[in-house]
Amino acid sequence: MKVRQISIFMENRAGRLSEVMQLVGDSGVNIRALSLADTSDFGILRLIVNDVDKALGALRKAGHTVSVTDVVAVEVPDRPGGLAGILVPLSADGVNVEYMYAFVEKATDKAVVIFRFEDADAALKTLKTVGISVLSAETVASL
Amino acid sequence: MMNQASTVNYWDSAHECMPVAELRELQLERLQKTVKTLWNKVPYYRQKMKALGVTPSDIRSLQDVQKLPFTTKEDLRLSYPYQAFAVPMEKVVRIHASSGTTGKSTVVGYTRRDMDNWSDLVARFLVAGGLTSQDIVHIAFGYGLFTGGFGLHYGAEKVGASVIPVSSGRSERQIQIMQDFGSTALVCTPSYAIYLAEIMQNMGVKASDLKLRLGFFGGEFWSHLMRKEIQEHLKIVATDNYGLSEVMGPGVSGECIQQEGMHIFEDHFLVELIDPSTGAPADPQKGGELVITTLTKEAIPVVRYRTRDLCAFLPNPCPCGRTFVRMSKISGRSDDMLIIRGVNVFPSQIEEVLLGIKGIMPHYQLVVSRDGALDNLEVHVEVSEGFFFDEMKKQQEFARAIEHKLENVVGVRARIKLVEPKTIERSEGKAKRVVDLRKLT
């Protein structure tokens, strides 16, 4: 139950983010979640969208450097300690998190956390064992 | 007007002021000997001669040098390390190497007689630029495989000056030593001289606190403007000298106190100017690529070495009385070599490093600028999908890996800037590889 995430290489200069957003918007793709990691020179923009292939097509056509990474979307109870309840068993099983970012679902009392694991399959196994639900790509796209 | 000739000092007036007709005779005799040696002792050059159907007996006049094949840096690289040597190793007393890709630098050797000639030629330009045995010479060139440090060192010792082998780096200490030791002559690259002047200012040391009176600068191109700046800030007479390790090192040519072009020591080097694209002779006054044939080198004689340095020959004899032809300051390169902080850098070396990281070649551009007096190299690398990592850590490691490898292989520290695809300027589909923002002319 992995979700495809788009990463975009971006130079750290004024207006660049809005240009990319414009491009994705113009292609009729809706962004479900995003995160931006940056340095003084460049940044990596990560997007979860409702139509990965359409977004990829538009970005590549415009000459952007993109890549697709499998991430895992986990529903986290929106209460104190919610995230810790997920991280603790993962850590106990020695599963490393490369990076993560969260967004709050509109119509529920849950938050969604996007995880990039070093080993997604190992992570999925642990999550399944401890009974934590993982969202499918379709579910994420329709959030 | 003061009679300049009466104040001129020579190291070796018998040769430096030799009547031109005699000089040409001496050159021809030495050229024939050099060609014979190469033919007999250096297989790669003999092969090159055979390919053109030339034998040593075809060299009957100085013009006949044009019949001989060129020697390129690549020829010398392929001869790595000792194949270009014309003498057995027991005759070699010194080895130097030019900066270059590891394992591909050009290695040069010197016999005892070569060393003697080399220090003599360095002594010539030092004396021509005003040095005497009274001087205290501060050498801030690096000592090592680079020919600058040792070349100037032995020449200055030969003149009888007191030589301080400070070597490069630790600028504040350099100034302290100049102050405490009473250095009267400074030897380094021209950009380092400017840098030292800036450091002096920061330290509150004035030119009048030092005893410096002369500067001998080489190892990189510099403009008349830079000379003016150096002379004003350090209150010295600054002269230019030229050389390259492939033919010897510093001491191929040097300015006299007239500061009007560098006298080429023609009794040891036969020079031509060619059109770099065709190899045909160029109008000496319009200028072209300098081609040098060594006339006395024993360990590694080279014939028609293509220096890739562009210059012109100056007409009319120099008021100093030396009969040797003078070359202008180097105006540029016929290839794309850059000199960064005195280190020769070829875009091809950088390509090799970039290609080596992931086996594919990213688009790149070298941006050279001058920050104060020091050169700065930035390598812009376009991040295409082959070089894109979703993880920041890996992306940064990629940049660090290039930086690290560049420093190891090319010998200069460069800053890697990762840029978006298609952002590096392309002209006619070809990427523009080098942007040099330094104002050197």
Side-chain angles (χ1 to χ4, degrees):
Chain A
M1 292 275 257
K2 292 173 222 167
V3 177
R4 291 161 79 210
Q5 168 198 262
I6 298 175
S7 300
I8 304 152
F9 178 83
M10 272 192 350
E11 269 175 58
N12 205 348
R13 54 188 156 88
R16 203 63 192 125
L17 181 61
S18 77
E19 283 166 34
V20 175
M21 290 296 107
Q22 189 82 47
L23 184 73
V24 174
D26 287 349
S27 69
V29 173
N30 214 343
I31 297 168
R32 313 286 8 143
L34 74 84
S35 121
L36 180 63
D38 71 336
T39 67
S40 58
D41 281 345
F42 67 90
I44 299 172
L45 176 67
R46 297 162 186 137
L47 301 178
I48 303 290
V49 297
N50 65 350
D51 189 336
V52 175
D53 294 320
K54 205 167 170 188
L56 276 178
L59 287 163
R60 283 202 169 115
K61 202 172 152 217
H64 286 282
T65 294
V66 293
S67 73
V68 178
T69 317
D70 283 335
V71 293
V72 175
V74 180
E75 237 175 1
V76 182
D78 193 8
R79 58 171 163 74
L83 182 58
I86 292 169
L87 292 175
V88 168
L90 286 168
S91 156
D93 281 359
V95 176
N96 280 330
V97 177
E98 296 286 356
Y99 58 81
M100 50 172 278
Y101 50 100
F103 62 104
V104 179
E105 264 181 77
K106 276 176 290 193
T108 70
D109 57 352
K110 289 188 173 162
V112 174
V113 177
I114 306 290
F115 284 99
R116 165 83 164 97
F117 293 112
E118 201 177 70
D119 181 345
D121 292 322
L124 286 171
K125 208 174 136 200
T126 299
L127 292 172
K128 199 176 170 190
T129 316
V130 294
I132 290 165
S133 62
V134 170
L135 300 182
S136 70
E138 294 73 36
T139 313
V140 171
S142 62
L143 282 175
Chain B
M1 277 288 283
M2 192 174 69
N3 180 4
Q4 289 285 357
S6 67
T7 65
V8 171
N9 287 319
Y10 304 103
W11 175 249
D12 177 1
S13 60
H15 286 106
E16 292 176 69
C17 304
M18 201 177 205
V20 175
E22 260 177 62
L23 175 64
R24 300 293 170 239
E25 253 175 67
L26 179 68
Q27 284 185 307
L28 179 58
E29 185 191 307
R30 289 177 168 178
L31 172 66
Q32 288 169 329
K33 197 174 160 213
T34 298
V35 173
K36 241 175 242 161
T37 304
L38 277 163
W39 176 268
N40 290 326
K41 309 275 187 188
V42 184
Y44 93 87
Y45 199 75
R46 185 191 173 117
Q47 288 308 319
K48 287 187 88 154
M49 283 176 68
K50 277 186 170 168
L52 288 185
V54 203
T55 63
S57 60
D58 292 324
I59 308 305
R60 287 182 219 100
S61 71
L62 284 176
Q63 279 63 45
D64 286 340
V65 75
Q66 291 173 17
K67 295 178 182 168
L68 292 163
F70 290 115
T71 302
T72 63
K73 193 174 178 74
E74 192 56 23
D75 288 327
L76 296 182
R77 276 190 188 146
L78 291 173
S79 307
Y80 182 90
Y82 301 140
Q83 270 78 51
F85 284 29
V87 296
M89 286 309 280
E90 66 193 55
K91 298 278 182 206
V92 173
V93 299
R94 176 79 70 76
I95 290 166
H96 280 283
S98 75
S99 45
T101 310
T102 312
K104 273 192 146 189
S105 55
T106 50
V107 178
V108 289
Y110 303 79
T111 63
R112 198 167 296 286
R113 209 176 127 218
D114 288 337
M115 292 303 302
D116 202 38
N117 283 333
W118 185 15
S119 52
D120 243 1
L121 297 186
V122 172
R124 280 189 193 177
F125 76 71
L126 289 174
V127 169
L131 196 82
T132 72
S133 59
Q134 313 289 312
D135 280 295
I136 299 174
V137 182
H138 182 108
I139 298 181
F141 270 142
Y143 279 68
L145 288 176
F146 170 59
T147 48
F150 283 103
L152 269 291
H153 181 108
Y154 283 87
E157 265 190 13
K158 206 162 207 177
V159 174
S162 316
V163 179
I164 320 171
V166 192
S167 196
S168 53
R170 297 179 66 189
S171 307
E172 297 196 351
R173 182 168 157 265
Q174 300 263 1
I175 290 156
Q176 190 69 53
I177 289 174
M178 283 197 266
Q179 249 182 313
D180 297 351
F181 292 20
S183 312
T184 61
L186 174 63
V187 172
C188 58
T189 60
S191 59
Y192 192 61
I194 292 185
Y195 183 68
L196 283 178
E198 283 171 12
I199 300 286
M200 273 169 59
Q201 204 162 17
N202 296 345
M203 290 168 70
V205 175
K206 291 192 286 293
S208 56
D209 298 335
L210 304 180
K211 295 210 170 72
L212 278 188
R213 60 178 203 98
L214 301 171
F216 298 91
F217 304 117
E220 63 185 16
F221 316 143
W222 51 311
S223 61
H224 290 290
L225 217 71
M226 273 174 87
R227 170 169 9 228
K228 205 168 153 253
E229 201 177 324
I230 292 170
Q231 297 197 137
E232 275 169 15
H233 283 100
L234 294 175
K235 304 273 182 276
I236 58 174
V237 175
T239 49
D240 194 359
N241 62 80
Y242 173 82
L244 59 169
S245 65
E246 289 82 358
V247 300
M248 189 178 74
V252 170
S253 66
E255 279 181 335
C256 63
I257 47 167
Q258 301 289 331
Q259 300 179 318
E260 279 288 337
M262 296 178 275
H263 293 276
I264 300 172
F265 302 133
E266 290 185 278
D267 49 338
H268 292 266
F269 304 101
L270 179 66
V271 290
E272 304 164 71
L273 286 181
I274 61 159
D275 174 336
S277 51
T278 63
D283 179 341
Q285 266 138 66
K286 276 196 189 144
E289 179 185 327
L290 182 67
V291 170
I292 302 176
T293 298
T294 65
L295 297 177
T296 54
K297 277 286 287 296
E298 292 180 333
I300 301 195
V302 287
V303 167
R304 303 193 86 198
Y305 184 74
R306 292 197 56 168
T307 64
R308 303 287 174 183
D309 289 327
L310 302 174
C311 68
F313 290 161
L314 306 180
N316 308 325
C318 180
C320 77
R322 288 176 180 82
T323 47
F324 297 146
V325 70
R326 286 169 297 156
M327 59 188 266
S328 66
K329 277 187 173 296
I330 303 295
S331 61
R333 294 276 303 177
S334 71
D335 60 10
D336 44 13
M337 187 183 89
L338 291 163
I339 301 186
I340 293 163
R341 284 176 239 129
V343 178
N344 298 349
V345 176
F346 289 94
S348 59
Q349 294 175 296
I350 292 178
E351 272 177 26
E352 242 169 87
V353 168
L354 292 173
L355 188 66
I357 303 259
K358 286 204 76 188
I360 39 171
M361 174 71 84
H363 270 292
Y364 71 93
Q365 188 171 58
L366 310 182
V367 180
V368 195
S369 57
R370 192 155 269 178
D371 184 9
L374 286 187
D375 297 329
N376 254 328
L377 174 62
E378 252 189 23
V379 182
H380 293 187
V381 178
E382 280 188 4
V383 176
S384 59
E385 297 195 0
F387 304 100
F388 181 41
F389 307 88
D390 162 62
E391 286 162 59
M392 186 54 93
K393 192 174 67 190
K394 286 187 185 156
Q395 197 68 51
Q396 287 179 307
E397 275 167 7
F398 168 71
R400 291 300 87 74
I402 300 175
E403 267 172 16
H404 186 75
K405 245 186 142 178
L406 276 180
E407 196 172 346
N408 272 331
V409 172
V410 185
V412 288
R413 198 174 292 237
R415 197 178 95 84
I416 304 301
K417 189 176 178 198
L418 301 180
V419 299
E420 285 177 26
K422 307 284 189 301
T423 52
I424 290 175
E425 188 193 332
R426 288 157 171 80
S427 49
E428 288 160 18
K430 245 185 107 186
K432 199 176 163 200
R433 291 301 184 206
V434 178
V435 176
D436 199 335
L437 302 170
R438 296 174 296 185
K439 302 266 180 296
L440 294 184
T441 47

